[in-house]
Amino acid sequence: MVHAVSEAPPSPTWLLPEGLRHLRELVMAYARRRPLRRVAALGNAPLQASDRRADVIDSADLVIRVNSFVLDAPAGPRAQGRRCDVVIWNRITRANEHTFHRYRDRLYLLAEPMRAHGFPEMWPASWPDDLGFVPLSNAEVLPRIGNDLGIPWRAERLAPTTGLTAAWLAVNLFPEAEVALAGYSFVDAPDQAEWSYQGGGSSPVAREHRIQAEGALMRSWISTGRVTLHR
């Protein structure tokens, strides 16, 4: 007698383009636990101390940070957690004490959207000589982020912020997971012309960014209930 076997519905990850599926598998190799139920992605906007927020971040299955990120000091107040599994960074990142600390334990994904517009390659002296990193594919990532933002990124020589790139990867590479975001000031202040950093200092918003569109995209994710912004 033959018994019918009900098949599980296909995983939403099979809907990913092949290039993004490969990137997903690479990033998953650095996750603390599988299956991934929650991914945390952090920008570098200042955050007030919050044990609850730090707990949400440090308990995630995968934590993604960007550029000149900072981690909570072991004996200091808690705000953004102490874990970092994946770093999205660019060639003009100002390295701090956290940028390359224990770099052999993390995945470094180099975001270089301006290379798509003909900007030259740079090799900052701050990079460790044996740093292993993987460039994010502009062909796979840039057009999809640009389409989601609804901006003519190629014609106007635009580039997404590294922070949005990290959040976009968390949302799109792991459709089965909840996503916790923190450190994104442009969600609440999309018209700012200058932004401050958790590690100190500030800088003008680069002219190639469109943070109004980025803030609107993040708010659309948050409205679904799957993505949460921890202010």
Side-chain angles (χ1 to χ4, degrees), residues 198-209:
Q198 181 76 350
S202 63
S203 68
V205 177
R207 61 184 180 181
E208 65 266 18
H209 299 323

Side-chain angles (χ1 to χ4, degrees), residues 9-218:
S11 167
T13 59
W14 288 107
L15 301 176
L16 290 174
E18 183 178 5
L20 293 186
R21 289 204 304 271
H22 292 321
L23 180 58
R24 167 190 162 88
E25 290 302 316
L26 175 62
V27 173
M28 282 189 70
Y30 289 80
R32 297 296 176 93
R33 290 173 295 274
R34 295 193 189 190
L36 268 68
R37 303 188 187 282
R38 186 169 70 249
V39 178
L42 283 86
N44 287 332
L47 293 168
Q48 297 296 319
S50 168
D51 287 341
R52 180 179 179 279
R53 185 197 311 113
D55 285 341
V56 168
I57 294 165
D58 280 342
S59 64
D61 302 311
L62 177 74
V63 180
I64 305 173
R65 299 184 189 262
V66 300
N67 293 338
S68 303
F69 65 90
V70 297
L71 303 175
D72 291 337
R78 303 178 67 222
Q80 62 268 316
R82 297 174 182 143
R83 282 187 43 216
C84 178
D85 305 312
V86 177
V87 179
I88 315 293
W89 100 120
N90 58 52
R91 296 179 183 273
I92 61 172
T93 294
R94 296 178 182 178
N96 61 23
E97 62 183 296
H98 304 280
T99 306
F100 299 116
H101 178 64
R102 299 185 62 183
Y103 62 90
R104 295 182 180 89
D105 298 332
R106 302 177 181 138
L107 172 64
Y108 284 76
L109 294 174
L110 180 64
E112 42 187 2
M114 297 309 290
R115 291 286 304 280
H117 302 310
F119 280 57
E121 183 177 72
M122 297 167 49
W123 292 89
S126 62
W127 293 7
D129 291 337
D130 62 343
L131 176 67
F133 63 88
V134 177
L136 281 173
S137 169
N138 283 331
E140 293 287 350
V141 175
L142 271 186
R144 294 186 170 92
I145 295 181
N147 289 342
D148 285 354
L149 291 173
I151 59 176
W153 69 275
R154 190 183 298 277
E156 297 186 16
R157 297 164 68 85
L158 304 178
T161 62
T162 312
L164 177 75
T165 301
W168 188 91
L169 291 173
V171 169
N172 288 276
L173 292 185
F174 306 103
E176 74 278 26
E178 295 180 355
V179 177
L181 303 178
Y184 288 99
S185 60
F186 54 72
V187 175
D188 298 317
D191 296 322
Q192 63 188 299
E194 184 171 346
W195 41 30
S196 301
Y197 302 102
Q198 181 76 350
S202 63
S203 68
V205 177
R207 61 184 180 181
E208 65 266 18
H209 299 323
R210 295 294 181 267
I211 61 173
Q212 296 88 351
E214 295 194 8
L217 179 59
M218 280 199 174

